[in-house]
Amino acid sequence: VAIDAACIMFLKHGWYRVLVIAPITPLGVWEEEIAKHTPENIPYVIHRLTGTTRQREAQLTGIALSGLEVPPKITWILVNYESAILLMGDLIDWEPQGVMVDEVHYIKSYKAKRSRLCHELRHMAQFRIGLSGTPQPKNQLDHFSPFKFYDESIFGTSWTFFRHTYAIFGGY
């Protein structure tokens, strides 16, 4: 469904820069699934960022320059959470039009670097998708950060306000 959404956004709006942030293990699966589920009439290229931080930075620079071709093709950048944190400035400079966060429950802590990165990226992305096989976190308050990524208007941007509005403290 996420791949279909990116293809629809490409056809409907011309948005072609898509960033996928995921744990390292499923990145290979993303490559396979993009190749398998992208319709034949939609041009695309997949870049899985690998190597040292400098090599990944160089890859991003090359991708940014190659993205100037006309007509554009969906440019998928696949990166794991740890690398995304190290490449935060470069990823923001790339200005992704779509951001997909696999295992979105990884950003449940609103203070974590990976959560802050996703919150920053959401401001430039025209569409955001979070995926998880674990939709119900341990604590109801863990919903704040993923929803801040999806749409800040749902629960707002203040963790303190969210906590005091939606949490029940004390005895039973």
Side-chain angles (χ1 to χ4, degrees), residues 19-22 27 47-64 77-96 113-114 116-118 120-121 124:
L19 174 64
V20 176
I21 303 173
L27 288 178
H47 300 280
R48 183 175 172 184
L49 302 184
T50 59
T52 66
T53 301
R54 285 187 186 204
Q55 289 170 328
R56 291 174 185 174
E57 288 170 346
Q59 291 169 25
L60 269 173
T61 301
I63 294 165
I77 291 183
L78 311 179
V79 64
N80 67 50
Y81 281 102
E82 293 73 23
S83 296
I85 292 166
L86 296 173
L87 298 168
M88 183 174 181
D90 296 303
L91 292 171
I92 290 169
D93 289 346
W94 187 61
E95 298 181 2
K113 288 180 183 177
R114 59 183 161 206
R116 291 193 316 244
L117 166 67
C118 292
E120 185 68 29
L121 289 168
M124 63 192 59

Side-chain angles (χ1 to χ4, degrees), residues 92-106:
I92 290 169
D93 289 346
W94 187 61
E95 298 181 2
Q97 295 161 313
V99 177
M100 298 184 184
V101 177
D102 197 357
E103 303 300 343
V104 73
H105 58 274
Y106 277 36

